[in-house]
Amino acid sequence: MTNHTRQHDIEALEPRTLLAGDMALVSVVPTLSYNDNLRTRVIEASVTVQNVGDEMVSRGVQISLFLSRNDTFDISDYRIFDRVLNNRFNPGVAITYNFKVPMPTDFAGLLQPGNAAPDDYKIIARVTARNPAEDTNAANNTLTSQTFVPVRYDFGDIGEGKKWRQLTAFLDFGNAVSFKINGPGRGEITLENGRTVVRLTGTTDKTTLRMDVPAFFSGAIGELVVDGDLRAIYAPRVSVNGDITINGTVQRIHLQDVRNSSFIIGATGAPMQLILRSATNVSLDSLTPIRNLTAGSWVTTDQASDVILAPSINTLRIAGASNVELSLSGGLPGRPALGSAQIGGSLTGRWNINGDVRLIRAQSISNFRVNVVGELNSLISRGNFSGTLAAQTLNSFFARGSVNNTTVLVGANLGADVALGGAGPAADSFAPGEIRRISIGGGMENTIFAVSLDPVDGGIFNGNDRFLDSSSRIRSISVKGQVGSSSFAAPVLPVRAVINGKSIVTAGDIRFTDTL
């Protein structure tokens, strides 16, 4: 039997390359322009896309544009544009598209991942085939521009003869503010040391800054700087969590809450109006006299020495508590340095007022030191009173409650520290004076009312005190409660006084002193 073996020779096949489309980005060129209809800056991007493959891409592509601080795409880059394009791309076909995108206003990245805070950005373009099977190479789907685009949050006179009056910016989660300038000037929002800073330039006394809050948002900024004069700032729903500097005059300011702020008005002008819902840890230094200052509260909570400095205040109204210092250098001739101060809550702190005062009134007054270099017409506490009071003359002192641990020296100037003793700005001086009426609804303890008294060595009733004239007097005294460890001292005292609700003769009573 014969075996037959067959041999088959197998020839290798020629390699074949699968045909496919390949969408590539060829160029990305950004520029800036201005849209007169939208009244906003526009980012223009010229984007060239080419099919560098050898099959048609038939179902179109999507192009996306991103703001990026570097050349590499990542999830922190901010998407500003998406567009589906239904063009068919034959092999080798290139198409250039010109896209126009309004300048973004998402300062904090509330609308999507990343953020569009003020900065210089490159534009990153990405192209994807609508049918992924038509584009098998993703390596050339992303391209970064060679040049930067400046993203700026500005409004008002923004240059090139353009005036964009309003800008709404999303500043933080739940925080959005609409900015608007009426009149000359330009505003810009920047990010400085993590704080949102609003800066105005080119303003005049005809300029009004308005800051409004869209529905369902709250509004707050980190700092406000104005390099010139202003007519007004109107922002009753916007808070400032930082410094406010106005290097000019201003007529009216209305804000919500001001916190942790050095508040400066750096020029002398006509008396202004200031309205705040609250002020917390705020010092105000105004070269402009204040016509009206109204606040829900003005308090210090961080142990710092916050102070209100101004030439004068006509009307001071604080609905709640106040514990800040007040220093008034002096008003216009013939006008008081402080017209009236009405505090709806408790009043503490140190006040130094160079000029007359018509009225100080508070719900209660404790640990309060006030020095009036002039006439204090009326001081009223609806509750108790404790502290130190000095004035050239005092027409009326009224406390509905008790007066304890108090020193009232009329005819005295206790200096900047509002305390006995001291040198330089804190030095004391003494002169004749008068108290017309003392009315206390409760009792008195550890308290002195004295007129024209010179302590000589800074200590009261230590054997070397003296009266400076013989005509200074206290005209009327009424205390409904008991008087303990307390004194009334003046060269002339009323013949009778009401103590513990009863009329008594003052002569011979150790609580009354008319001779030293």
Side-chain angles (χ1 to χ4, degrees):
M1 183 174 181
T2 303
N3 292 327
H4 297 279
T5 303
R6 293 185 179 182
Q7 182 174 347
H8 299 275
D9 294 328
I10 301 175
E11 183 177 335
L13 296 176
E14 181 181 346
R16 292 283 194 272
T17 301
L18 295 177
L19 301 180
D22 183 5
M23 297 305 302
L25 282 162
V26 177
S27 68
V28 180
V29 180
T31 56
L32 282 181
S33 64
Y34 187 90
N35 187 298
D36 288 311
N37 293 326
L38 297 177
R39 303 185 75 81
T40 182
R41 283 199 178 94
V42 171
I43 298 172
E44 296 191 24
S46 176
V47 179
T48 299
V49 183
Q50 184 176 15
N51 181 1
V52 297
D54 43 23
E55 280 289 313
M56 177 173 42
V57 175
S58 62
R59 297 184 58 184
V61 297
Q62 176 174 307
I63 293 179
S64 302
L65 301 179
F66 299 83
L67 297 177
S68 179
R69 293 177 173 87
N70 52 48
D71 292 333
T72 304
F73 175 79
D74 59 52
I75 60 173
S76 68
D77 293 334
Y78 191 84
R79 186 192 302 265
I80 60 172
F81 181 81
D82 276 312
R83 177 69 57 84
V84 173
L85 304 166
N86 293 317
N87 305 81
R88 293 183 177 185
F89 290 83
N90 288 314
V93 169
I95 301 177
T96 298
Y97 300 94
N98 293 307
F99 302 119
K100 295 184 178 181
V101 184
M103 186 78 74
T105 59
D106 192 4
F107 196 98
L110 300 183
L111 304 182
Q112 57 178 290
N115 68 70
D119 209 338
D120 292 335
Y121 293 90
K122 288 192 172 183
I123 300 296
I124 291 182
R126 302 194 80 193
V127 60
T128 55
R130 296 187 66 193
N131 179 9
E134 293 185 328
D135 184 5
T136 58
N137 177 23
N140 54 8
N141 290 162
T142 302
L143 187 65
T144 303
S145 66
Q146 295 296 310
T147 58
F148 287 91
V149 171
V151 171
R152 301 292 181 260
Y153 287 68
D154 55 359
F155 53 97
D157 296 322
I158 64 173
E160 299 179 6
K162 305 297 184 182
K163 191 171 186 68
W164 181 13
R165 292 188 176 276
Q166 185 163 321
L167 166 69
T168 299
F170 299 95
L171 302 177
D172 203 346
F173 183 78
N175 177 16
V177 179
S178 293
F179 301 88
K180 184 177 182 180
I181 283 183
N182 291 328
R186 173 183 179 269
E188 183 174 2
I189 311 167
T190 60
L191 190 63
E192 300 176 17
N193 299 319
R195 301 174 67 84
T196 305
V197 179
V198 178
R199 189 180 301 275
L200 271 60
T201 56
T203 60
T204 73
D205 59 3
K206 307 297 183 183
T207 304
T208 295
L209 168 66
R210 295 184 64 98
M211 294 186 286
D212 298 313
V213 180
F216 311 112
F217 284 89
S218 61
I221 61 174
E223 187 175 345
L224 175 62
V225 180
V226 182
D227 288 342
D229 295 334
L230 274 182
R231 182 178 182 273
I233 298 171
Y234 184 76
R237 295 182 58 205
V238 176
S239 298
V240 181
N241 300 319
D243 294 343
I244 300 171
T245 305
I246 300 173
N247 296 310
T249 62
V250 62
Q251 300 174 37
R252 187 172 188 267
I253 300 174
H254 190 173
L255 296 167
Q256 186 170 251
D257 302 319
V258 179
R259 307 180 188 95
N260 306 312
S261 175
S262 174
F263 194 153
I264 297 173
I265 301 171
T268 300
M272 62 161 290
Q273 181 180 23
L274 174 60
I275 303 172
L276 306 175
R277 187 174 73 172
S278 70
T280 304
N281 303 326
V282 175
S283 283
L284 171 65
D285 187 353
S286 174
L287 293 181
T288 295
I290 299 173
R291 184 175 73 253
N292 296 311
L293 194 162
T294 302
S297 63
W298 198 307
V299 295
T300 297
T301 63
D302 60 1
Q303 309 306 314
S305 182
D306 294 323
V307 60
I308 299 173
L309 293 166
S312 62
I313 299 176
N314 184 55
T315 303
L316 172 63
R317 290 190 181 94
I318 298 178
S322 175
N323 64 357
V324 296
E325 296 185 23
L326 175 67
S327 180
L328 303 180
S329 59
L332 297 172
R335 296 187 180 182
L338 177 60
S340 67
Q342 301 188 55
I343 313 300
S346 61
L347 172 60
T348 61
R350 180 174 64 187
W351 290 14
N352 208 313
I353 302 167
N354 184 29
D356 295 339
V357 177
R358 290 179 184 154
L359 172 65
I360 299 174
R361 179 165 56 194
Q363 184 64 33
S364 64
I365 301 175
S366 63
N367 299 317
F368 180 55
R369 292 185 291 162
V370 56
N371 188 61
V372 178
V373 186
E375 177 184 274
L376 173 54
N377 182 59
S378 181
L379 184 143
I380 299 171
S381 173
R382 298 186 182 93
N384 299 330
F385 183 97
S386 67
T388 300
L389 186 157
Q392 290 180 357
T393 60
L394 173 60
N395 287 333
S396 176
F397 179 97
F398 174 81
R400 185 170 293 171
S402 299
V403 176
N404 301 316
N405 305 311
T406 291
T407 300
V408 176
L409 300 177
V410 173
N413 176 359
L414 296 184
D417 61 348
V418 195
L420 284 167
D428 303 337
S429 61
F430 303 93
E434 180 179 68
I435 300 176
R436 293 185 179 176
R437 179 171 179 254
I438 299 170
S439 179
I440 299 171
M444 278 178 58
E445 194 72 33
N446 297 320
T447 292
I448 296 171
F449 283 85
V451 177
S452 189
L453 177 69
D454 181 2
V456 179
D457 60 0
I460 296 178
F461 295 158
N462 60 356
N464 62 355
D465 304 336
R466 61 178 181 170
F467 289 125
L468 294 176
D469 78 336
S470 59
S471 60
S472 294
R473 65 182 61 210
I474 300 175
R475 291 185 178 271
S476 173
I477 300 171
S478 175
V479 182
K480 290 187 178 180
Q482 301 214 3
V483 176
S485 302
S486 300
S487 299
F488 299 93
V492 180
L493 293 167
V495 175
R496 305 187 71 86
V498 175
I499 302 295
N500 200 18
K502 298 178 181 179
S503 178
I504 65 165
V505 176
T506 59
D509 191 313
I510 61 172
R511 296 168 293 190
F512 297 86
T513 300
D514 59 6
T515 303
L516 295 172

